Amino acid sequence: FKAKEQRGSLSFFSDDLTAAVHRRLQLEQRLRRALEQQEFCLYYQPQWSIDGQQLTGVEALIRWQDPECGLVSPAEFIPVAEQSALIRAIGSWVLSRACEQIADWHRRGVRIPRVAVNVSPQQLDHQHLLHEVESVLQQTCIDPAQLELELTESGLMSPGLEAVEMLASLRALGVSLAIDDFGTGYSSLAYLKRFPLNLLKIDKSFTDDLLTGESAQAIVEMIIMLGHKLGLSVLAEGVESEAQRVELERLGCHQFQGYLKSRPLSVEELEALLLSSS
Ligand code: C2E
Ligand code: MG
Ligand code: MG
Ligand code: MG
């Protein structure tokens, strides 16, 4: 009786699992096809000096123009891609597309100081990233100082990773390095000293609570102070109100990004914005 019951619940569980695995495999397949059919594109979200007066760079954010579902957010498909090797292929595509865009802007005299590219933890191992960055810089002949890589705390914490040496090599190429969503991962403050970083990006969740929660304010203050002490630039993500911007400015934050000034934009929209503000 007991064995039967167990078997029953076991098979129920595995049916559920099968359905979930099936859905995931299906999405993976559609993503693979999307890559082949060139259904991905990059949007660019402007980053500003904290007074909002100067464009300091843009962050490249992937979008999927799915023929069936329209524009799909990366929040929906990047986590799935990250569960398979697919994220490497997508990550490579993003890196080269962003660098080609930098080269194109350079040729056409469009002045974009810096383009930040998101790098998933899985792209970090095996020195692969270093070689990839080296070859894309060579192919596109862009100024390496115009490229910034956004890494996550979990990416840097992955065991067995010779991250310090590789990041130093990336920096030696002239590329700059940012920590994305700072404060939300398994952070160890020790690594901030070891890794050759340029920028800390304060996660949007802290910006959200900056004016309402005491602990968020304490954390933001601490990150900004840390940045100052370690000689790193600090950028706040997800700034939606002028009150948040003013408070961040008061606390000594250097840059921000958020709907207050601009959403992620298509290339055409971004160029139009530059023309209208110059
Ligand atoms: P992220 O790198 O932290 O990017 C910031 C996200 O916050 C973007 O969402 C952006 O549109 C959104 N955002 C910016 N300002 C505001 C604001 O003021 N209010 C609100 N509500 N949202 C704001 P998006 O484009 O949907 O990207 C979500 C996440 O997907 C990214 O978070 C990043 O982790 C991942 N992602 C996007 N593109 C790529 C990529 O090319 N490669 C990898 N590996 N991940 C990517
Ligand atoms: Mg990012
Ligand atoms: Mg972020
Ligand atoms: Mg984020």
Side-chain angles (χ1 to χ4, degrees):
F1 167 72
K2 212 175 167 192
K4 195 174 162 195
E5 192 181 72
Q6 259 177 6
R7 196 160 358 109
S9 62
L10 196 71
S11 76
F12 173 72
F13 175 68
S14 76
D15 277 355
D16 237 21
L17 206 66
T18 309
V21 168
H22 184 71
R23 264 199 311 278
R24 211 189 69 200
L25 288 177
Q26 222 170 22
L27 181 53
E28 265 181 48
Q29 213 153 33
R30 284 171 61 213
L31 288 171
R32 205 163 283 128
R33 208 197 53 200
L35 205 54
E36 284 163 15
Q37 310 278 313
Q38 301 183 307
E39 290 168 6
F40 292 116
C41 68
L42 295 181
Y43 271 47
Y44 296 89
Q45 185 176 34
Q47 301 174 327
W48 307 91
S49 56
I50 197 65
D51 60 8
Q53 296 303 300
Q54 273 180 32
L55 183 86
T56 54
V58 295
E59 177 178 4
L61 294 158
I62 195 169
R63 298 289 180 266
W64 175 19
Q65 186 68 60
D66 182 11
E68 286 162 48
C69 312
L71 213 58
V72 186
S73 152
E76 288 179 43
F77 64 84
I78 289 289
V80 174
E82 280 178 337
Q83 287 173 25
S84 75
L86 207 55
I87 191 62
R88 291 172 186 255
I90 294 178
S92 300
W93 180 86
V94 171
L95 182 65
S96 50
R97 186 69 209 92
C99 292
E100 284 161 10
Q101 187 62 63
I102 295 172
D104 185 57
W105 278 328
H106 181 76
R107 269 193 300 276
R108 293 167 40 229
V110 179
R111 293 172 64 98
I112 305 283
R114 197 159 25 86
V115 176
V117 169
N118 290 284
V119 174
S120 283
Q122 288 177 63
Q123 291 175 263
L124 274 174
D125 37 335
H126 304 312
Q127 301 284 312
H128 188 67
L129 183 66
L130 177 62
H131 297 308
E132 216 173 298
V133 170
E134 262 173 332
S135 77
V136 79
L137 289 175
Q138 222 161 43
Q139 275 160 26
T140 55
C141 298
I142 61 168
D143 177 359
Q146 276 189 284
L147 179 64
E148 180 165 86
L149 302 178
E150 290 192 4
L151 316 169
T152 60
E153 289 160 299
S154 57
L156 293 177
M157 289 297 105
S158 96
L161 184 73
E162 317 249 309
V164 181
E165 289 78 10
M166 194 196 49
L167 298 186
S169 307
L170 283 167
R171 281 293 305 275
L173 292 176
V175 168
S176 61
L177 302 175
I179 300 289
D180 203 357
D181 305 332
F182 186 71
T184 59
Y186 271 120
S187 15
S188 144
L189 293 180
Y191 81 71
L192 284 178
K193 217 174 50 183
R194 286 195 295 131
F195 292 156
L197 306 169
N198 303 88
L199 176 74
L200 297 179
K201 296 189 75 176
I202 299 175
D203 189 65
K204 177 176 183 299
S205 58
F206 301 123
T207 306
D208 286 344
D209 295 344
L210 179 61
L211 302 174
T212 49
E214 262 173 53
S215 64
Q217 171 151 28
I219 291 167
V220 168
E221 269 190 65
M222 187 213 68
I223 296 174
I224 293 170
M225 208 154 73
L226 207 59
H228 282 236
K229 298 256 186 219
L230 297 175
L232 307 174
S233 189
V234 181
L235 180 150
E237 298 185 308
V239 176
E240 295 182 349
S241 73
E242 175 64 8
Q244 288 170 338
R245 188 201 63 75
V246 168
E247 178 62 3
L248 287 160
E249 187 169 30
R250 189 185 72 81
L251 294 174
C253 188
H254 304 105
Q255 302 170 61
F256 76 98
Q257 155 179 10
Y259 294 178
L260 170 65
K261 280 282 281 190
S262 34
R263 290 178 176 253
L265 306 171
S266 68
V267 171
E268 294 73 24
E269 290 168 328
L270 178 63
E271 291 179 7
L273 174 82
L274 289 177
L275 279 176
S276 72
S277 64
S278 65

